[in-house]
Amino acid sequence: MVKILILGAGVMGTALSVPLTDNGHIVNLVGTHLDGDIIAKLQAGFPHPRLGIQVAESVTAYSYDQLSQAIQGVDLVVIGVNSHGIKWAALALSSVLSADIPILMVTKGLAGDGEKLSILPDVICANLPNTISDRIQIAAIGGPSIAQELAVRRHTCVMFTSTNQALLSHLAELARTPYYHIWTSTDTIGTEVCVALKNVYALAVGLVIGFLEKAGKAVNDAEMHNLAAAIFAQGMWETAYLVNKMGGKPESVYTLPGSGDLYVTCQGGRNSRMGRLLGLGIPYSQAKAEYMPNDTVEGASLALAIGQTVENMLHKGDLDDIALPLLRTMIDIVCHDAPAIIPWDRFFATGAAKTPLQTYRLMIK
């Protein structure tokens, strides 16, 4: 039994408490400054308002201003804030975290500084004091994991990733249950790039919902699965290019972090809802302001977070323009209110240096 602090009381952070407490661990669940209503409900004994489950008796809910109290004696910190809050989380932990306590990240995303793209474990390290960042061990979770399913113990398969295999083995042992199946990978870059990009490509697949609605019912009730599948495939193609470009391994693309996570994210949720609006022809700024003002749409958030950096890297030749037509399109749609027009003739281009097909061949040799 160990004591674990989860920072972020949203659906994924709270859902992760289920396998952890089933394994006999103690969990201190600390809300962010945006989780006040959730924490109040949990402290009053009510179910989690968004998950609809009662947390275990071994879960204690804390407000964010109680972080210094909640972190006392913990053996592991889990970061479950949304991607907007990653620097906030690092700042909040800076004065209370010991370098001897490892971090396990649930948060997914990429960051751009105008010149290069970074994975979020590196962002956390960059925003912690040097006395901590030089020694801290960080792992992350990737793969197809819908919080509502995990919260009711549906079978879930994920990848734990870190450059430290001993840490991975330890964390997997802490969290693995008969329904929470864990594999490990030392390809942190590949895993993190995949689980971030899946959001923007799921948003692209979601466009089809709006296209179908806009086109109207077919005489034979045909839908647009062909179209959605092609967009999905191009998303995988581009993910393979970017994973290779950033130094990751191709196996991450074609397993749980890549194809698995993209598939599950396309099944519904906020990316799909926003994709429908965009596919109907509503500009992103209007769709966000009028229809989803209080929702974090992770695909759009990623486009906004890395859009300018990707455009700069393409202009400088640091990224190959041929390789990323769908990502460029989604950045134009979200960042510049461009219309949702799919660049079909640019899909599956083979002119980019080390194409995804070449990468795949290297993997299976």
Side-chain angles (χ1 to χ4, degrees):
M1 180 187 75
V2 301
K3 190 174 183 181
I4 300 165
L5 182 143
I6 299 177
L7 180 58
V11 292
M12 199 65 242
T14 305
L16 191 59
S17 74
V18 176
L20 293 174
T21 54
D22 280 354
N23 281 342
H25 306 309
I26 296 170
V27 172
N28 289 347
L29 182 63
V30 181
T32 70
H33 54 295
L34 302 176
D35 295 334
D37 291 344
I38 295 174
I39 294 300
K41 292 282 189 184
L42 296 179
Q43 289 176 336
F46 292 101
H48 191 284
R50 292 169 59 194
L51 280 177
I53 63 157
Q54 199 81 40
V55 298
E57 291 184 1
S58 52
V59 174
T60 303
Y62 292 86
S63 59
Y64 74 95
D65 56 355
Q66 296 175 302
L67 177 60
S68 60
Q69 174 187 347
I71 204 170
Q72 295 300 313
V74 304
D75 304 287
L76 172 68
V77 169
V78 176
I79 296 180
V81 302
N82 69 39
S83 57
H84 295 297
I86 201 68
K87 290 184 179 180
W88 174 90
L91 181 63
L93 289 167
S94 289
S95 61
V96 296
L97 180 67
S98 165
D100 298 324
I101 303 173
I103 291 174
L104 177 61
M105 294 187 59
V106 179
T107 309
K108 300 173 175 66
L110 292 171
D113 63 2
E115 296 184 1
K116 68 180 186 305
L117 300 174
S118 300
I119 60 175
L120 293 192
D122 291 344
V123 175
I124 281 284
C125 276
N127 286 275
L128 289 171
N130 291 339
T131 53
I132 299 175
S133 63
D134 290 345
R135 295 193 295 131
I136 196 78
Q137 297 185 82
I138 299 181
I141 303 175
S145 180
I146 294 175
Q148 287 79 0
E149 294 184 25
L150 178 59
V152 294
R153 300 176 177 84
R154 303 290 193 200
H155 285 284
T156 300
C157 300
V158 296
M159 192 78 75
F160 278 25
T161 184
S162 169
T163 56
N164 184 327
Q165 183 60 55
L167 175 64
L168 284 178
S169 299
H170 171 63
L171 295 177
E173 185 64 24
L174 292 181
R176 187 179 283 120
T177 71
Y179 59 87
Y180 193 51
H181 310 285
I182 301 170
W183 285 260
T184 63
S185 168
T186 55
D187 181 26
T188 300
I189 292 175
T191 299
E192 289 291 281
V193 172
C194 285
V195 299
L197 289 174
K198 64 89 189 289
N199 282 305
V200 74
Y201 293 124
L203 180 63
V205 172
L207 296 173
V208 177
I209 303 170
F211 292 161
L212 178 61
E213 189 174 330
K214 191 175 181 180
K217 187 176 181 178
V219 294
N220 63 352
D221 294 329
E223 299 196 6
M224 291 185 174
H225 299 305
N226 297 340
L227 169 55
I231 294 173
F232 183 103
Q234 178 65 25
M236 292 300 304
W237 185 260
E238 296 186 15
T239 298
Y241 168 79
L242 279 165
V243 164
N244 176 71
K245 190 71 176 179
M246 292 183 67
K249 298 178 180 178
E251 53 262 36
S252 294
V253 181
Y254 303 106
T255 52
L256 290 170
S259 57
D261 211 349
L262 178 55
Y263 174 84
V264 82
T265 309
C266 291
Q267 300 311 300
R270 289 167 291 186
N271 286 312
S272 294
R273 286 163 51 203
M274 176 57 75
R276 169 185 170 269
L277 297 170
L278 299 174
L280 285 171
I282 303 171
Y284 171 75
S285 61
Q286 180 184 349
K288 185 70 174 72
E290 295 184 10
Y291 296 95
M292 301 180 68
N294 300 316
D295 292 294
T296 299
V297 182
E298 291 291 357
S301 294
L302 181 68
L304 291 166
I306 68 171
Q308 187 61 62
T309 299
V310 168
E311 290 174 345
N312 291 348
M313 293 177 74
L314 288 166
H315 179 72
K316 292 165 56 180
D318 294 335
L319 292 174
D320 193 328
D321 181 63
I322 296 174
L324 300 169
L326 185 55
L327 180 59
R328 290 205 67 178
T329 295
M330 297 313 296
I331 288 171
D332 284 342
I333 289 170
V334 173
C335 300
H336 308 301
D337 274 344
I341 300 172
I342 303 298
W344 303 113
D345 292 343
R346 300 184 62 200
F347 275 19
F348 311 115
T350 57
K354 191 168 282 189
T355 67
L357 184 58
Q358 292 171 314
T359 302
Y360 178 70
R361 286 171 177 161
L362 288 173
M363 181 185 76
I364 62 176
K365 280 184 178 179

